[in-house]
Amino acid sequence: YNRATQMTRQPGSSMKPLSVYAPSIDTGLLTAASIVNDEKLTIGDWSPQNSYSGYRGYMIVRRALEISANTPAVRTLQDLGVDKSYEYVQDKFHISTLADADRDLSPLALGGLTNGVSPKEMAAAYGVFASGGIYNKPHSYTKIVDNTGKVLLENEPENTRVLKDSTAFIMTDLLYSVVNGSSGTGRAAKLSSMPTYGKTGTTNDDYDKWFIGFTPYYVGAVWYGFDTPASVRKAGVYNNPSVTLWKSVMEKVHEDLPEREFTAPDSVEKVLVCART
């Protein structure tokens, strides 16, 4: 049983960049500085709750993603439309485990999917941001040669543009704040000598803990939990071990690599805005 490729679990808030913010930026609905509202929202008999107590009012998109606010994600998804969100998650980010029942606000905005997702597909999806909007189909080898160097099998990578290069860069910039912002949920993942980007995810009752992070070199997805779903909090785990594990592996991976950062494409314009107004 390969937990990286065969296991599917609820992604929690690690779904938001794929289902809410990237599609909204790609379609022109939002910019990184758009204002969203963290205020109580009631839809029928359902009111989404934040992981923190209460609501924090109006904030820019960057802040909403940094603190993983839930109500702004649901409101944004209402504006975007669940059909458009579903299309991006399935057809552009290639999450293959969606069910028809997931075509709704709660599953897409908050990551409570019917069948869950695999770490492999989440890593590939976040790789779209790191590669400038290109989806690279996951593969486990590039080629096989014999003892004379003759190529016996070759695995040509399948690469497809699925996002605008501007969207990909803006998403990397937003996900930088998740790790480097003063209130970022992924602060513990920050590498000592390499720019770090990513998003945490936690499901109801702390059954699943995620961190999907990347650098200009590598992307990696970590899930933490029990094979038979149960609360890790009740087992005495209160933080997010996925963040800690991701950092411990990636520090070694990046030890001898020169520092790099993502470069804004010509399609992106950088401006100063007032976060209050």
Side-chain angles (χ1 to χ4, degrees), residues 20-234:
V20 178
Y21 293 111
S24 295
I25 291 169
D26 205 50
T27 57
L29 180 65
L30 293 179
T31 72
S34 295
I35 299 294
V36 291
N37 190 7
D38 183 16
E39 192 174 86
K40 185 174 181 179
L41 174 66
T42 301
I43 303 167
D45 58 357
W46 174 59
S47 292
Q49 304 295 311
N50 291 312
S51 59
Y52 47 83
S53 177
Y55 306 93
R56 300 185 182 178
Y58 290 103
M59 62 182 72
I60 60 173
V61 166
R62 181 180 303 280
R63 174 74 171 170
L65 194 56
E66 179 182 330
I67 66 175
S68 201
N70 285 338
T71 55
V74 175
R75 290 177 188 275
T76 300
L77 184 56
Q78 283 182 308
D79 294 337
L80 175 68
V82 293
D83 289 337
K84 179 60 70 174
S85 171
Y86 192 98
E87 174 194 328
Y88 266 79
V89 175
Q90 179 174 261
D91 300 337
K92 294 183 181 293
F93 292 112
H94 295 270
I95 301 298
S96 65
T97 48
L98 291 184
D100 285 340
D102 297 329
R103 202 183 294 267
D104 207 347
L105 293 171
S106 179
L108 289 170
L110 306 182
L113 303 176
T114 304
N115 300 317
V117 295
S118 73
K120 179 185 78 170
E121 290 195 348
M122 288 298 278
Y126 273 67
V128 171
F129 305 138
S131 61
I134 304 295
Y135 176 81
N136 297 283
K137 185 178 179 181
H139 53 281
S140 55
Y141 72 93
T142 53
K143 64 181 177 180
I144 299 171
V145 299
D146 65 14
N147 60 351
T148 67
K150 178 184 178 183
V151 176
L152 302 177
L153 285 174
E154 194 151 10
N155 192 5
E156 289 292 336
E158 296 180 32
N159 306 325
T160 313
R161 173 162 295 283
V162 294
L163 293 180
K164 299 171 186 172
D165 60 356
S166 56
T167 302
F169 178 80
I170 291 168
M171 286 304 303
T172 63
D173 197 47
L174 290 173
L175 293 169
Y176 182 84
S177 295
V178 175
V179 177
N180 297 273
S182 59
S183 302
T185 58
R187 293 191 309 279
K190 185 178 180 180
L191 300 181
S192 57
S193 60
M194 193 68 63
T196 314
Y197 313 75
K199 183 70 185 76
T200 55
T202 301
T203 58
N204 286 350
D205 301 317
D206 293 301
Y207 277 27
D208 304 278
K209 298 278 192 177
W210 289 83
F211 183 72
I212 300 93
F214 58 92
T215 71
Y217 289 98
Y218 295 106
V219 58
V222 181
W223 166 86
Y224 183 94
F226 292 107
D227 282 341
T228 301
S231 173
V232 298
R233 178 177 287 268
K234 289 182 179 178

Side-chain angles (χ1 to χ4, degrees), residues 193-194 215 217-218 253-260:
S193 60
M194 193 68 63
T215 71
Y217 289 98
Y218 295 106
V253 170
H254 289 80
E255 256 177 4
D256 300 318
L257 296 175
E259 185 173 342
R260 287 169 54 185

